[in-house]
Amino acid sequence: MFEQQKINEVLEQFDVNRNKGLSGDEAQARLEKNGPNAFQEKKPKTKLQMFLSQLRDPMIYILMGAVVISVLLREFSDAIIIMAVILLNATIGMVQESKAEKSLEALKKLSSPTAMIRRDGATVEIPAADLVVGDIVLLEAGRVIPADLRLISTINMKVEESALTGESVPVQKDAEFIADGEVTLGDRLNMAYLSTSVAYGRGEGVVVRTGMDTEIGKIARMISESVDELTPLQKRLGELGKLLGILAIVLCVLLFAVALIQGRDVMAMLLTAIALAVAAIPEGLPAVVTIVLALGVQRMVKVNTIVRKLPAVETLGSVSIVCSDKTGTLTQNKMTVTKYYVNESLQQVSNLDYDTNKLLVDGFVLCTDSSIEGTSRFGDPTELALLDMGVNVNVTKQSLEASSPRINEKSFDSDRKMMTTVHQDPSGRLISYTKGAMDRIIGKCDEIIIDGTVRPITDADKEKIESAAKEMASLALRVLALAVRFDDNSAEEEHLIFTGLVGMIDPPRPEAAAAVERFKVAGVVTVMITGDHIDTAFAIAKELGIAESEDQCITGDTLNRMTQEDLNAAAPQLRVFARVSPENKVMIVNAFRSHGDIVSMTGDGVNDAPSLKTADIGVAMGITGTDVAKGAADMVLTDDNFATIEKAIEEGRNIYNNIRKSVLFLLSSNLGEIFTMFIAIVAGLASPLKAIHILWVNLITDSLPGLALGVDSGDPDIMKTSPRNPKESLFAHGGLTIILFFGFVIGAITLSAFLFTPINTLMGAGQSITLENLKLILLDEGIYTQSQTYAFTVLAVSQLFNAIGMRNLNRSIFRFNHLENRMMIFAFIFGIFLQVAVTEIPFLINMFGTMGLSLNEWMTLVALSTAPLWFHELFVFIRYIKKKNA
């Protein structure tokens, strides 16, 4: 009576008559007041907005400034080349990101298109969008719940909620359930939620929330309100861009100061200042990084990973925490019988023999209302697990029912917690099978069958049965019992003969345990987050090696009583989070992030979407994943394999290392240009290089070797090291030393090449080598052009040799497998070809202000350009000695 009174109070609260429903006028008034049962749509980015978003980068701003100044000084060739790089970079980024966010659109598709309701005393079907608070909704098996409902009537009703709560089996609903205080989403047995579906039975509910106010609506709002954060690499490159921008300005100011002191032509010095600023900025870097990430995306496809956002590839390399949903991610999302108890023996299901255990198998297969037809599966996951058990011993429900048809039955209900079917076997004998909860079944049994012999059941028998059930329960197995009756067609559930037990669970994916172990070696912590019960979650976590004790587990109820700060403090010791809500999942991700960890969240359900969006890397399952989860994720696993995440992280680490090699290579080259230009100008000499020379080297000659470094083969031991600190500078681990060392080498040989002709000419004329004489002789246009051509050539070719050595600064080039990186071979040959072109093709000679070179000149300049390789060997030797003496 108390429960019914509560239901009546709910109906009164929403001012609705249970038998008649709302009137048409009242429903229309509520619709106009509260709006349709639909989600607020997020306006998608246009192609132009996506394109412009690629340009929000400090380095791009500097390049744009260089374009403007070049145009003002009528240096159109420089402006065109820089602009081409800016557009290429933005286009590549836009194409990769053009798959606009589909999260809210997918959520909208999840809502039921129609709903069966009671209006004006009649049953009618209306569009789900027209539902209002107070509507009486009629539910039956197969129907999708069209809004959040307070159930007012349930008849054996089970609801599939795995996409929302993570619960691996349908939840038995009870309209008369009264909660004792606050309970988690998965434990609200008198509620049914939008987008879940009725798996079994029927019922009625009153609409209590619609649209954005529903639980799914809250998820939609959480997704739309989350803010995309910069990845570690984006932050480092942003800082680098600002640093280089400041350096460029400082150099220009210094140069002007020198010009004023030396009394030089201000306009000429402005051109030189632009050349120096151009030298300070690695113009090819944005394009190289973008292309390397795009090529990384293509490689990731080969390991069954689709990356939706380019920077996510690099972020993977920093991941230190992998938060994973249990159902469908760490487990198979398929209930499976793993143990059985018969003849006083608990066995693994792999030992099941049909001939010996025919009665057990036939009973569990026939006493079901589910079916498997080819690849199609219909019904309750628990019953489907029983049918799979039969299939594994070559027994199907269809074949059994053909020979032993069902002639009577008593359906399952939540009060009895059992069901019974009666069959007539080929000999004409009647057998009734009763399956259900162990405690209910055993209470109905007077006898037991052991090795084919029926005898009275004893207390000792019951203790053995209960002991087997407890052992299975300790492994978080769901236990079902089977009993039989012979020669009775009444489907009565009294005086039964106990037959056996089975235990089932949603088992771990076979590859998951190995992936968790490899993560441990790589310094990556695996955390399980699930809506399932804590005992089930811990059992799976323990089997996979995620958790060792129950102290590492926590429930949603406890989380609800904690502040974010409390959870932040407790998070490092926790490994399993059970019975959690979508809001809890976001709290958990933020708790780990508060310790500076880079967090990856994997999942497949609607309930995972907000945390996928909040995490540094959101990973969705491609096969079982909902569209909502895929829309919120940064990457999607096409094979739903948890172990694929490990391969993706390995790929991400290698990509970051390669990008770092590219950055160090490009910056060392740029430093060589700065060194060459600045020393010459401060000394009062003419500029060794034109702005177009530096642009050519930075954008054309350097870009291909930079790309080749970006696609270099990975380090086979990279997953044996801990994740890098996301705050780690690109210059860490000797990076700054590398840039300064090789920058000085390149600058020194480029300056040497520039002064080669003037010094030879002075020596040939018997004049002393002084700064004044060098200044005077460089006033000769022919000598100056030849000197610039030498400097330009050595700068370009030396950087090709420098790129070869940059592949590995811990190993001699004579121990490299150069065929591993065919891109580098191509880049080297093509770079030489391009440099020959600018000194031999008349059109390019005029454009670049160079001159033709003889074979002897080429041989001399190439020999000088190999210096970075010899210094690479010296650098490797010094590192080896230091390591040996450490």
Side-chain angles (χ1 to χ4, degrees):
M1 287 297 293
F2 176 72
E3 292 82 2
Q4 195 58 49
Q5 181 183 340
K6 282 288 184 183
I7 292 173
N8 291 335
E9 288 175 4
V10 171
L11 295 170
E12 287 175 15
Q13 178 186 346
F14 294 102
D15 193 18
V16 60
N17 183 293
R18 177 174 189 163
N19 298 319
K20 293 183 178 180
L22 294 174
S23 67
D25 291 341
E26 176 61 22
Q28 185 61 35
R30 294 186 185 189
L31 186 63
E32 290 173 2
K33 179 183 177 182
N34 301 318
N37 178 33
F39 296 116
Q40 296 169 5
E41 294 192 37
K42 185 180 180 182
K43 191 175 180 181
K45 275 186 182 180
T46 64
K47 287 283 196 295
L48 179 61
Q49 287 172 324
M50 281 188 278
F51 182 83
L52 293 176
S53 69
Q54 308 300 319
L55 303 178
R56 295 179 194 139
D57 183 284
M59 218 170 288
I60 298 293
Y61 297 153
I62 294 167
L63 293 182
M64 287 177 176
V67 170
V68 172
I69 295 172
S70 298
V71 169
L72 291 175
L73 295 174
R74 306 186 69 79
E75 295 290 331
F76 297 115
S77 298
D78 297 4
I80 290 169
I81 292 174
I82 299 173
M83 201 66 212
V85 169
I86 292 172
L87 294 175
L88 175 65
N89 180 68
T91 302
I92 293 170
M94 183 199 71
V95 168
Q96 187 62 31
E97 204 179 316
S98 62
K99 300 169 185 175
E101 293 291 338
K102 299 293 182 184
S103 304
L104 295 174
E105 288 78 7
L107 280 163
K108 185 180 176 183
K109 288 176 190 174
L110 273 179
S111 58
S112 177
T114 62
M116 192 73 71
I117 68 167
R118 198 172 283 134
R119 283 253 179 103
D120 292 315
T123 300
V124 292
E125 191 166 18
I126 66 167
D130 293 341
L131 275 177
V132 297
V133 171
D135 266 324
I136 302 294
V137 179
L138 311 183
L139 302 170
E140 59 184 12
R143 279 272 181 186
V144 175
I145 311 293
D148 283 4
L149 310 177
R150 167 54 163 98
L151 299 172
I152 58 176
S153 169
T154 51
I155 301 173
N156 300 330
M157 195 172 96
K158 293 183 181 181
V159 176
E160 171 59 61
E161 295 184 335
S162 63
L164 179 63
T165 66
E167 182 77 59
S168 53
V169 295
V171 178
Q172 183 78 44
K173 293 296 181 178
D174 181 3
E176 296 184 350
F177 170 78
I178 303 296
D180 183 15
E182 188 68 25
V183 292
T184 58
L185 201 65
D187 294 322
R188 297 172 192 171
L189 305 183
N190 56 8
M191 295 291 295
Y193 296 102
L194 173 64
S195 86
T196 61
S197 59
V198 181
Y200 192 86
R202 63 185 189 275
E204 294 180 7
V206 59
V207 176
V208 294
R209 287 186 293 270
T210 60
M212 296 299 286
D213 295 326
T214 62
E215 292 297 329
I216 292 288
K218 292 176 187 175
I219 293 173
R221 185 174 287 108
M222 291 166 72
I223 294 172
S224 64
E225 289 174 355
S226 62
V227 178
D228 291 332
E229 292 196 15
L230 294 177
T231 69
L233 180 64
Q234 285 175 318
K235 291 174 183 174
R236 299 289 86 78
L237 291 177
E239 291 164 5
L240 177 62
K242 291 172 186 174
L243 179 66
L244 293 175
I246 292 169
L247 177 62
I249 293 169
V250 170
L251 287 172
C252 288
V253 170
L254 283 173
L255 211 57
F256 262 91
V258 169
L260 291 172
I261 293 168
Q262 295 178 346
R264 294 197 181 202
D265 179 74
V266 174
M267 189 56 69
M269 285 309 295
L270 184 58
L271 285 170
T272 305
I274 288 176
L276 198 57
V278 165
I281 307 298
E283 288 82 3
L285 183 58
V288 166
V289 170
T290 303
I291 293 169
V292 167
L293 288 174
L295 291 172
V297 167
Q298 298 307 312
R299 286 211 304 277
M300 301 281 269
V301 171
K302 295 178 182 177
V303 291
N304 302 308
T305 306
I306 297 172
V307 177
R308 299 181 63 248
K309 297 174 186 175
L310 277 182
V313 179
E314 168 271 329
T315 309
L316 277 167
S318 299
V319 168
S320 52
I321 302 281
V322 173
C323 293
S324 177
D325 181 46
K326 178 184 74 70
T327 306
T329 307
L330 289 166
T331 65
Q332 300 172 26
N333 198 17
K334 179 183 176 184
M335 291 297 286
T336 304
V337 175
T338 57
K339 289 182 178 288
Y340 71 98
Y341 174 82
V342 72
N343 298 332
E344 301 182 325
S345 175
L346 183 62
Q347 299 280 333
Q348 295 288 340
V349 77
S350 55
N351 298 329
L352 183 64
D353 176 68
Y354 178 62
D355 292 334
T356 308
N357 302 289
K358 185 177 186 303
L359 190 63
L360 182 85
V361 175
D362 286 358
F364 273 125
V365 171
L366 286 170
C367 191
T368 62
D369 287 328
S370 302
S371 64
I372 299 175
E373 298 173 12
T375 57
S376 300
R377 301 166 66 85
F378 307 98
D380 182 273
T382 301
E383 292 192 340
L384 290 170
L386 298 173
L387 298 185
D388 287 331
M389 179 182 73
V391 169
N392 290 337
V393 290
N394 300 314
V395 173
T396 65
K397 184 179 179 182
Q398 291 90 330
S399 63
L400 286 179
E401 284 190 332
S403 60
S404 302
R406 184 183 298 189
I407 60 173
N408 198 0
E409 64 183 282
K410 185 178 284 189
S411 299
F412 176 89
D413 71 47
S414 55
D415 291 330
R416 292 175 16 257
K417 292 188 178 179
M418 62 180 77
M419 72 173 285
T420 299
T421 60
V422 183
H423 299 263
Q424 187 170 31
D425 71 14
S427 67
R429 189 181 190 187
L430 296 174
I431 307 177
S432 73
Y433 300 103
T434 302
K435 83 168 194 305
M438 187 274 297
D439 56 332
R440 297 297 178 92
I441 294 283
I442 203 168
K444 302 287 185 179
C445 292
D446 298 333
E447 296 178 298
I448 187 170
I449 185 168
I450 296 177
D451 295 324
T453 302
V454 177
R455 64 168 174 78
I457 194 167
T458 65
D459 289 341
D461 292 327
K462 291 179 180 179
E463 284 180 11
K464 290 179 182 177
I465 295 166
E466 288 170 358
S467 174
K470 282 181 181 178
E471 184 175 339
M472 287 191 277
S474 70
L475 299 172
L477 301 187
R478 185 176 186 185
V479 180
L480 286 179
L482 178 75
V484 297
R485 269 180 73 157
F486 297 108
D487 304 320
D488 187 345
N489 66 356
S490 66
E492 285 297 318
E493 294 172 340
E494 299 290 343
H495 310 296
L496 303 178
I497 303 169
F498 180 83
T499 306
L501 305 172
V502 292
M504 63 183 70
I505 197 169
D506 179 13
R509 290 176 174 273
E511 67 282 345
V516 169
E517 183 58 35
R518 286 194 294 270
F519 275 143
K520 286 181 182 177
V521 173
V524 178
V525 174
T526 306
V527 173
M528 179 192 289
I529 302 177
T530 179
D532 219 335
H533 293 279
I534 192 166
D535 53 351
T536 305
F538 175 63
I540 296 292
K542 190 173 183 181
E543 186 174 347
L544 291 174
I546 294 172
E548 295 175 358
S549 74
E550 292 186 11
D551 294 339
Q552 295 174 295
C553 307
I554 192 171
T555 65
D557 279 338
T558 306
L559 289 176
N560 290 334
R561 295 191 294 271
M562 296 174 77
T563 64
Q564 183 67 60
E565 290 70 27
D566 292 337
L567 182 56
N568 293 353
Q573 286 75 45
L574 298 173
R575 293 294 178 268
V576 177
F577 297 82
R579 302 304 279 171
V580 296
S581 67
E583 292 88 349
N584 292 151
K585 292 188 179 189
V586 173
M587 276 183 70
I588 294 162
V589 171
N590 286 331
F592 284 113
R593 294 185 71 199
S594 72
H595 294 275
D597 288 303
I598 297 295
V599 179
S600 166
M601 171 70 192
T602 70
D604 59 357
V606 176
N607 61 326
D608 297 318
S611 49
L612 289 174
K613 193 84 171 176
T614 303
D616 297 285
I617 288 285
V619 184
M621 298 294 152
I623 299 172
T624 58
T626 60
D627 287 342
V628 184
K630 294 174 194 174
D634 299 293
M635 52 185 269
V636 179
L637 306 183
T638 58
D639 62 352
D640 281 16
N641 190 335
F642 178 77
T644 300
I645 301 168
E646 188 244 345
K647 297 174 188 171
I649 288 177
E650 180 178 5
E651 191 67 43
R653 288 187 180 187
N654 279 320
I655 286 170
Y656 178 84
N657 281 357
N658 287 345
I659 287 176
R660 182 174 178 271
K661 284 192 281 188
S662 296
V663 169
L664 296 182
F665 160 68
L666 292 171
L667 291 182
S668 62
S669 300
N670 280 52
L671 186 63
E673 295 160 6
I674 293 171
F675 179 84
T676 302
M677 294 288 291
F678 199 72
I679 294 297
I681 300 303
V682 169
L685 299 172
S687 176
L689 298 162
K690 295 181 178 179
I692 195 169
H693 294 165
I694 297 170
L695 279 172
W696 175 263
V697 171
N698 287 1
L699 296 175
I700 309 301
T701 312
D702 277 2
S703 292
L704 279 175
L707 280 176
L709 287 169
V711 298
D712 208 10
S713 57
D715 179 354
D717 296 326
I718 201 159
M719 290 301 282
K720 293 179 181 177
T721 59
S722 297
R724 74 174 190 281
N725 188 328
K727 296 180 181 178
E728 178 182 291
S729 166
L730 286 163
F731 305 133
H733 308 297
L736 185 60
T737 303
I738 291 165
I739 292 170
L740 293 172
F741 183 83
F742 288 100
F744 176 81
V745 170
I746 291 168
I749 61 175
T750 303
L751 202 55
S752 299
F754 177 66
L755 296 174
F756 183 81
T757 299
I759 289 173
N760 271 355
T761 303
L762 288 173
M763 290 175 66
Q767 297 183 30
S768 59
I769 312 299
T770 65
L771 199 57
E772 287 303 315
N773 283 342
L774 288 172
K775 289 179 188 176
L776 288 171
I777 201 163
L778 284 170
L779 293 175
D780 183 299
E781 190 174 336
I783 290 176
Y784 183 45
T785 300
Q786 186 179 43
S787 296
Q788 278 196 324
T789 303
Y790 279 16
F792 180 26
T793 301
V794 168
L795 177 69
V797 177
S798 67
Q799 294 188 15
L800 295 174
F801 283 109
N802 187 35
I804 293 172
M806 279 288 175
R807 284 187 62 200
N808 193 325
L809 289 163
N810 296 309
R811 182 184 295 180
S812 166
I813 59 166
F814 300 107
R815 294 177 60 205
F816 285 9
N817 180 357
H818 294 283
L819 293 178
E820 269 184 348
N821 194 334
R822 295 172 191 267
M823 178 79 172
M824 183 64 78
I825 297 171
F826 170 77
F828 184 87
I829 294 170
F830 191 61
I832 296 289
F833 169 78
L834 289 175
Q835 200 55 37
V836 169
V838 296
T839 60
E840 304 303 327
I841 298 173
F843 164 72
L844 293 176
I845 287 174
N846 291 331
M847 184 176 177
F848 285 88
T850 56
M851 61 177 289
L853 299 174
S854 67
L855 181 60
N856 282 339
E857 286 175 309
W858 266 107
M859 289 176 66
T860 302
L861 295 176
V862 169
L864 183 60
S865 299
T866 62
L869 285 186
W870 306 117
F871 280 100
H872 170 273
E873 295 302 296
L874 175 63
F875 190 85
V876 169
F877 179 72
I878 292 170
R879 275 194 161 185
Y880 171 75
I881 295 298
K882 281 187 175 180
K883 188 176 180 181
K884 191 175 181 181
N885 294 333

